[in-house]
Amino acid sequence: MKTEILHNFTSRSRAATADEAQRGKFRSAMDFLIAKRAAQFPDPTEWAELRESGQQIRQRALAYLPKLLVQFEQKAQQNGMTVHWAETPLEANQIIHGILQRQQVRTLIKGKSMVSEEIELNQYLQAHSIQALESDMGEFIVQMADEKPSHIIMPAIHKSKQEIAALFAAEIDDTPYTEDVDELIQIGRQALRQQFFNADAGLSGVNFAIAETGTLCLVENEGNGRLSTSCPRVHIAITGIEKMLENLADLPTLLTLLTRSATGQPITTYVNLISGPRRADEQDGPEEVHIVLLDNGRSQAYADVQLRQTLQCIRCGACMNHCPVYTRIGGHAYGTTYPGPIGSIISPHLLGLAETRDLPSASTLCGACGDVCPVKIPIPELLLRLRVENVTRAGTKDHPAVMRGQGAKYRLSEKLAWQAWSLLNTTPALYLASRRSAAGLRHLIPSVKAWTQARVMPKIAPQSLHELIKAHQEQKS
Ligand code: SF4
């Protein structure tokens, strides 16, 4: 991810809010998802109990994460899978490239994987003459349009059916223009079908990794995940290290929270549990299964007890759907793999706070994200914490550095301004003097143009509350 792109958050957001058509698409898509999710949780008591359980399962898994990772590795190896550890995106790309080179793979078919977006795997492989073909319909569309996903669950949600129809007609051979959604899906499926059998290797993400059994869990609706993990002779799964669960028994609670929160479905069409390569008595499945466990800044979040809660995330996307900022600016404006509230709290760990310094402020702090999070991540609290880290000068005795890029928004002038403000408001004589001169300073206010261009400045009352009370008391006596 290029730094200059990330630093343009304000201008991208401004452009996005000025695009009425785009805003309309996001508004109606989010309204649809919000209604579907709400219909899945009609009973507030059940919702409260379920998310409490979900939170406990995720917190327990994180509390034992180092142990669970080792246990998972042992179990997965016993199951015949190969486990790889990657600290950085480059290492992950090199590991995957190495596997593909050894297997002389020229085409890789991909199930949906946001972690592969995070490491920019497609671009890396393309530079090394290996074609990576997306098979999730949304990912297929954004790849064809040479764009990035704008939502973690629905990558092409920013596209209208007319745009998709035009894209398919232009890019897929012998395809007529049609706005019929079912026909468009069939066109996409036909284009992809043979690719599953042509590809030498398949790559998938992971929703949960179960340490007890060394099992990978993968949920999806299109069947492309199952095809890309079972048709090619090599399957590579990539996941962040935080996706561990302790036991198989933890899975049902998280699955129901995930699918209901993400797409408003009681369960997805496919739930894949992968526990190794094809065995001698099995008819299908890959000959090799590799798992790449990626850190990429997650250990930094893990080291801080409050920020660790970020890693509870099960990537349902509900916080994005309910966020008034995401709904207006859409996913691309964030400039990061994970947009919306979850992106604003995870991206500073993946990319550094200096590179993502505007994101913790891209929130009204209305609290909707925290209210709908199925694993009770206190997102607004974490956003506030990141804002503090943004303006905290790191490396001093009082503020040991906890994050890469900490202090990115630190300004001595701002610090002095707040110290002056504090002094003013805690010293009665100074406060009274400043209030008397406030009316005289009002001519400075138009210079705060960004604030006043959409608001009317409130008029300063002729008498203050103190003066009114004093006058009232004098009148009474
Ligand atoms: S932070 Fe919570 S609501 Fe947002 S994607 Fe993660 S689990 Fe879902």
Side-chain angles (χ1 to χ4, degrees), residues 313-317 319 342 373-375 377 379:
C313 178
I314 57 173
R315 302 286 191 272
C316 71
C319 56
I342 177 56
C373 178
V375 286
I377 300 176
I379 301 172

Side-chain angles (χ1 to χ4, degrees), residues 427-444:
T427 314
L430 268 177
Y431 175 78
L432 282 173
S434 70
R435 188 183 50 73
R436 284 194 192 106
S437 57
L441 294 173
R442 280 177 61 200
H443 66 279
L444 293 176

Side-chain angles (χ1 to χ4, degrees), residues 434-474:
S434 70
R435 188 183 50 73
R436 284 194 192 106
S437 57
L441 294 173
R442 280 177 61 200
H443 66 279
L444 293 176
I445 288 170
S447 65
V448 195
K449 216 171 151 211
W451 201 90
T452 53
Q453 67 188 4
R455 299 171 180 84
V456 176
M457 276 305 297
K459 288 204 171 100
I460 295 173
Q463 277 187 297
S464 72
L465 183 64
H466 282 170
E467 287 164 347
L468 284 171
I469 292 170
K470 204 172 159 196
H472 183 66
Q473 282 171 339
E474 279 171 4

Side-chain angles (χ1 to χ4, degrees), residues 239-313:
T239 181
I241 53 173
E242 81 279 20
K243 292 284 181 73
M244 289 294 139
L245 293 186
E246 197 175 8
N247 304 308
L248 205 53
D250 294 333
L251 198 53
T253 304
L254 292 179
L255 277 182
T256 192
L257 281 168
L258 172 62
T259 62
R260 289 205 254 175
S261 301
T263 50
Q265 291 172 285
I267 192 75
T268 46
T269 313
Y270 298 90
V271 177
N272 305 291
L273 293 175
I274 298 167
S275 294
R278 179 172 61 201
R279 301 202 168 92
D281 58 344
E282 289 175 342
Q283 290 191 345
D284 53 23
E287 293 159 20
E288 287 185 16
V289 177
H290 296 262
I291 304 153
V292 181
L293 297 169
L294 176 70
D295 183 336
N296 191 24
R298 289 160 173 84
S299 309
Q300 173 186 278
Y302 189 80
D304 184 287
V305 175
Q306 188 187 21
L307 297 173
R308 183 184 297 178
Q309 295 172 97
T310 308
L311 304 179
Q312 285 169 218
C313 178

